[in-house]
Amino acid sequence: MGADLRPAAFIDRDGVINAERHHVYRIADFEVLPGVVQGLRQLAAHGYALVVVTNQAGIAKGKYGPADFELLTAHMRTLFAREGVQFAGVYHCPHHPQGSVPAYTRDCGCRKPAPGLLLQAAAELGLDLRRSVLVGDKPSDTAAGRAAGVRRTVLVESGHALPADTAALADHRCAGLAEAAGWLCRQPL
Ligand SMILES: [Mg+2]
Ligand SMILES: [Zn+2]
C-alpha cells in the first residue's frame, strides 16, 4: 500500500444526498437533502475523497437510460461545485438480475451489497479502503462497505425505512449526512 493512497468517504446517492423517490433520473426530481452540502464539505476538509456509489437498477429495468443518469450526474456535480464540493468519482451499477434491458440484465459484482463499485473506485482513484468510510441509507450499502473492507459504516434515516435495530449492520446510525459527517470527523482518520 503506497503512502499516497487517500481515504475515501463513499456516499450512497438516493436517500443520502438527495431525497429518496422512486427512480430519480430527472433533474426536477433531484432534491438535495438539508445539511448535505455542509456534511460533504466537512468530510472533504477532514481529508476524505468524496466518492458517490449508487445502484441504478432503473437502467436495467428500462425506466431510464444511461444518458439520463449521466445528465443528472453532470447536474449534481455542477450544483455541488458551485458550493465548493468536488466529487472525486461517481460510480454506478446499471444492472439488475431481473431487468428488461438485455444489455444490463445480469448478476454482477457491482450491485451493492457487492463491493465492486468501491473496489473499482479504489483502483482508479488510488484510495485506501482500510481508512475509508461509507454512508448509506440501506443495509445493502453498509454491507458493500464492509465487503470492501472500509473502516467505518454509517446508516442514515433520511432515505429508506430502516429496521428498528441496526447495531449489527453499521457502526453508527443517525438522522442524515450532516450528522454522519460530524460523527465520522470525530473519529481518527
Ligand atoms: Mg439509497
Ligand atoms: Zn452491476
Side-chain angles (χ1 to χ4, degrees), residues 12-16 20 137-138 141 160:
D12 177 48
R13 197 192 77 181
D14 301 327
V16 180
E20 169 63 39
D137 70 322
K138 281 184 174 181
D141 295 320
H160 279 273

Side-chain angles (χ1 to χ4, degrees), residues 88-123:
V90 178
Y91 290 81
H92 76 290
C93 166
H95 309 113
H96 194 275
Q98 285 96 43
S100 59
V101 180
Y104 300 109
T105 298
R106 60 179 175 85
D107 289 313
C108 68
C110 51
R111 179 172 166 75
K112 296 174 287 184
L117 296 180
L118 288 75
L119 301 180
Q120 184 190 350

Side-chain angles (χ1 to χ4, degrees), residues 52-156:
V52 176
V53 285
T54 176
N55 283 355
Q56 294 293 325
I59 295 174
K61 294 176 179 175
K63 306 289 185 190
Y64 52 93
D68 297 303
F69 175 79
E70 296 306 335
L71 266 179
L72 185 54
T73 297
H75 170 72
M76 177 179 76
R77 283 185 176 278
T78 301
L79 268 186
F80 282 98
R82 265 186 226 140
E83 306 288 342
V85 174
Q86 305 286 343
F87 294 107
V90 178
Y91 290 81
H92 76 290
C93 166
H95 309 113
H96 194 275
Q98 285 96 43
S100 59
V101 180
Y104 300 109
T105 298
R106 60 179 175 85
D107 289 313
C108 68
C110 51
R111 179 172 166 75
K112 296 174 287 184
L117 296 180
L118 288 75
L119 301 180
Q120 184 190 350
E124 292 181 357
L125 304 175
L127 305 175
D128 184 350
L129 287 169
R130 283 182 287 185
R131 288 193 301 142
S132 295
V133 298
L134 176 135
V135 183
D137 70 322
K138 281 184 174 181
S140 53
D141 295 320
T142 50
R146 286 181 171 178
V150 306
R151 180 183 278 179
R152 291 186 188 89
T153 59
V154 180
L155 275 172
V156 293

